[in-house]
Structure formats: structure tokens, C-alpha cells
Amino acid sequence: MRVIGIESSCDETAVAVYDADLGLLSHRLYSQVAMHQAYGGVVPELASRDHVRRLLPLVREALADAKSDRESIDGLAYTAGPGLIGALLVGAGFAASLGFAWGKPAVGIHHLEGHLLAPLLEPNPPGFPFLALLVSGGHTQLVDVAALGEYRILGETLDDAAGEAFDKTAKLLGLHYPGGAALAKLATSGRSNRFVFPRPMLDRPGLDFSFSGLKTAALVALRGRVLDDAIRADVARGFQEAVVETLAEKCRRALEATGHRRLVIAGGVGANIHLRERLAEVALAASAELYFPRAEFCTDNGAMIALAGCMRLAAGMYDGRFINARANWELGGRFDG
Ligand code: KG4
Ligand code: ZN
């Protein structure tokens, strides 16, 4: 079973070829970040138009890299949501048309399912079931993953996503959008106890998160100060520690509550080294194994969509009759105990 995966939910156009027996054969990505940077965030209409320009060349390149052609492809997978609706429609329409022309099924994939399964692209992949911390620019969720397609949300953010908090605070620190990785880099030269930010929601039971207060705390810390490199680095450090400590404590509680012995980190913020190190300690203390994808598969990519599509096609878990694009789409049912 060999599947071509297409991701176009936001500001990355990505295409990959995944083979059930041979693993990942190729992956290509074009990032629109430079185009959107002038606006300080993603401009949806510009994103859609650029996906139109990039998709076909990327598919050609990914197929050539994988030494594959249409005959060797068994199906197509595309991100069906959630995301920017125009951007999603470009990928969905493209994949469905190609599938129709080639006589192959086109499967719509939930973007977060892609992120959740991304650690399965690595050697020594986790088996089911596992607990996943999904931390991206748009989502922050703790997910109980029983099997493919069986997801239960244990907790989620009540306001900003972790990545969004990183990006907003990075902006306050004068870093370009999306500033998460740049903030993390700045934090490495910061001092640990100069600024101690609140650890949101740790004083309450439960597994939900709240990050919107942190950027306000960062704003207050910066107010009236000369923004030299040392202050910026110290604030970055204090902010990152507050986010990481909060995520780590919720993971600890979730491991305890579920009894899971596998913890998966997925999504763009999962590329954060400090978060990985803290979660390694949490996992060790809970006698659990920690799994995460390589950094380039933490952020948006086509490989995770190709993999999820391959798994769904192999299991017969798809409906290829419709062109599926949904801006808002829950991953799984909410579990309230
Ligand atoms: O998963 P992703 O590529 O896109 C969404 O589906 O949202 O995540 C992007 C997010 C951005 O907010 C970005 O700033 C953040 O991940 N990010 C990081 C790091 N690398 C990317 N945040 C903290 N530390 C990093 N090293
Ligand atoms: Zn994503």
C-alpha cells in the first residue's frame, strides 16, 4: 500500500509518499512564512492562492523522489480540516480531482490525527494505546488514543493554544511571526529566576489549560523597561518555563489518571527541546516511554498525512465519496470523567 499525502491547512504546502512496507519514501515542503511575515500573521486568501501555485510541482517532485508514478500509488490522502477553509479546499479539490483522474481513492484526514500519528514515522514507533500531548499553533489537548480513529479528549486549552502563546509573546519580544522557535532560542541565554510567571490552572484539578494570561504577564514584565538583549532573554526564559511546567504537570496528572505507559508529544511546540527534556523526566517518574517525531515532523508536514491516509486505507476506514473540507472539526468526544 502506497499513499501520497497532501497538507495545505495553513501556511505550509507539503506533499509526501508513504509506503506501508518501506516507510516514508519522500517528503517535500514549501513554507509560506516569508510571504506572511510582512503582515505579522497568516493572510488566508494569500495562503490559498499560494497552495494553488505550489501543489502540482511538489507532487511531481515527491513522486520523482520516491521513484513512484501514478500506477504505483494506491490512494491519496489530504488534510480535510481543521484549518483555513480556502486553503483546505485547494488541497481537498486537488486530491479528489487527481484521485478521480487516476481512479484511486482520495481520503480526507483530520489534521490533528496526522500530528498524533507522526511519531509512528520514526524508528521504534509507539504502539496503541497511548497518551498524547498535542501542542500546536491552534490546539493544546491531552488525548487518550486507544486505536486508529479512537480519540478521547481528556483536557484542552480554554483560550490560547500553547503555540499561539509562544507566538504572541515572541511578538512582544520583537521576534518575527511565528516566533515560537526564535523565542526558545532566545530563552537559552536567559536567566532562570529573573522573571517567574504564573503557572496557569495548576492550582485547580483537571486537565484543562489556559495560556492567555501568560502573554499579559510578559507584557507587564516588559513594561517601562529598556528592552536590551538580557531582559528579552530573561523574559523568554521565564515564559517558556511557565508553559513547560504547566504542560509537564498536566501530563503527569494525565498519566496517573489513565495509567498509560506511553506518552507521545506531537504538534509544532513539540519541537521545543526544554519541553522534551521535562517530559522525559515526567515519563521516567511514571515508568512510561516518551515518543516524539523529529522536529520537522512536529510542525506541519505531508508525511504525517500520508501515513494517516495509508493506515486508514489499509484498515478500510475512510469514505472517499465526498470532497471533505471543514474549517472546524473536533478530533474526538470530550471526556468529562
Ligand atoms: O503544528 P504546527 O506546525 O501548526 C499548527 O497546526 O498549528 O505548529 C506551529 C506552532 C507555532 O505556534 C510555532 O511558533 C510553534 O509551533 N513552534 C514552537 C517551536 N517550534 C515551533 N514553539 C516552541 N518552541 C519551538 N521550538
Ligand atoms: Zn499542525
Side-chain angles (χ1 to χ4, degrees):
M1 169 84 61
R2 191 172 288 190
V3 171
I4 186 158
I6 293 172
E7 157 64 36
S8 73
S9 64
C10 191
D11 58 347
E12 256 103 32
T13 325
V15 179
V17 178
Y18 185 87
D19 185 286
D21 298 320
L22 304 173
L24 187 64
L25 298 182
S26 67
H27 63 104
R28 288 269 179 166
L29 182 142
Y30 179 84
S31 171
Q32 305 176 353
V33 159
M35 181 178 77
H36 296 294
Q37 235 156 28
Y39 305 92
V42 178
V43 183
E45 181 61 23
L46 293 183
S48 311
R49 292 181 196 188
D50 209 55
H51 288 310
V52 173
R53 275 193 288 273
R54 307 291 167 191
L55 263 176
L56 197 52
L58 284 175
V59 165
R60 286 207 179 99
E61 288 165 15
L63 281 174
D65 289 352
K67 299 186 174 42
S68 291
D69 53 21
R70 55 187 279 186
E71 275 74 42
S72 58
I73 296 291
D74 298 296
L76 300 102
Y78 60 92
T79 302
L84 302 171
I85 192 63
L88 291 167
L89 278 167
V90 173
F94 180 90
S97 310
L98 207 56
F100 186 69
W102 290 359
K104 308 285 161 86
V107 186
I109 299 294
H110 196 295
H111 182 78
L112 298 182
E113 175 171 84
H115 276 304
L116 281 180
L117 299 176
L120 276 69
L121 290 162
E122 303 300 338
N124 183 29
F128 294 118
F130 56 78
L131 172 73
L133 173 69
L134 197 68
V135 269
S136 72
H139 293 84
T140 300
Q141 297 183 327
L142 273 162
V143 189
D144 190 329
V145 178
L148 178 68
E150 285 181 40
Y151 311 120
R152 203 168 54 140
I153 312 296
L154 302 173
E156 61 195 326
T157 184
L158 304 177
D159 41 56
D160 289 355
E164 194 179 354
F166 262 94
D167 293 342
K168 287 178 175 171
T169 305
K171 199 170 180 179
L172 294 176
L173 293 168
L175 302 166
H176 280 306
Y177 179 86
L183 188 153
K185 195 163 166 239
L186 187 61
T188 56
S189 57
R191 280 171 292 174
S192 193
N193 288 317
R194 174 96 184 265
F195 296 100
V196 179
F197 291 105
R199 270 64 173 151
M201 310 285 284
L202 287 195
D203 51 346
R204 283 180 238 176
L207 298 171
D208 286 329
F209 306 92
S210 164
F211 291 113
S212 69
L214 272 181
K215 65 169 187 297
T216 317
L219 188 65
V220 170
L222 291 167
R223 192 173 288 155
R225 290 181 193 270
V226 179
L227 285 196
D228 59 24
D229 287 350
I231 293 272
R232 290 168 63 246
D234 292 345
V235 168
R237 177 82 181 231
F239 167 83
Q240 178 173 265
E241 281 175 358
V243 175
V244 167
E245 279 315 309
T246 307
L247 293 172
E249 171 58 16
K250 297 287 170 155
C251 284
R252 190 195 66 72
R253 289 183 196 173
L255 282 172
E256 194 177 83
T258 58
H260 276 308
R261 287 286 170 268
R262 300 184 190 97
L263 173 62
V264 157
I265 323 176
V269 183
N272 188 284
I273 303 293
H274 185 52
L275 177 64
R276 291 180 175 196
E277 287 172 357
R278 269 301 282 129
L279 289 184
E281 291 169 8
V282 168
L284 190 66
S287 307
E289 286 287 322
L290 180 67
Y291 301 87
F292 45 79
R294 72 195 85 163
E296 65 179 325
F297 295 155
C298 281
T299 47
D300 290 349
N301 65 86
M304 66 186 193
I305 303 301
L307 168 76
C310 195
M311 290 174 74
R312 282 197 170 264
L313 273 162
M317 289 168 63
Y318 68 97
D319 186 344
R321 288 174 300 165
F322 306 103
I323 299 179
N324 191 356
R326 297 161 75 176
N328 299 307
W329 185 8
E330 293 295 321
L331 177 67
R334 165 83 207 198
F335 181 72
D336 286 314

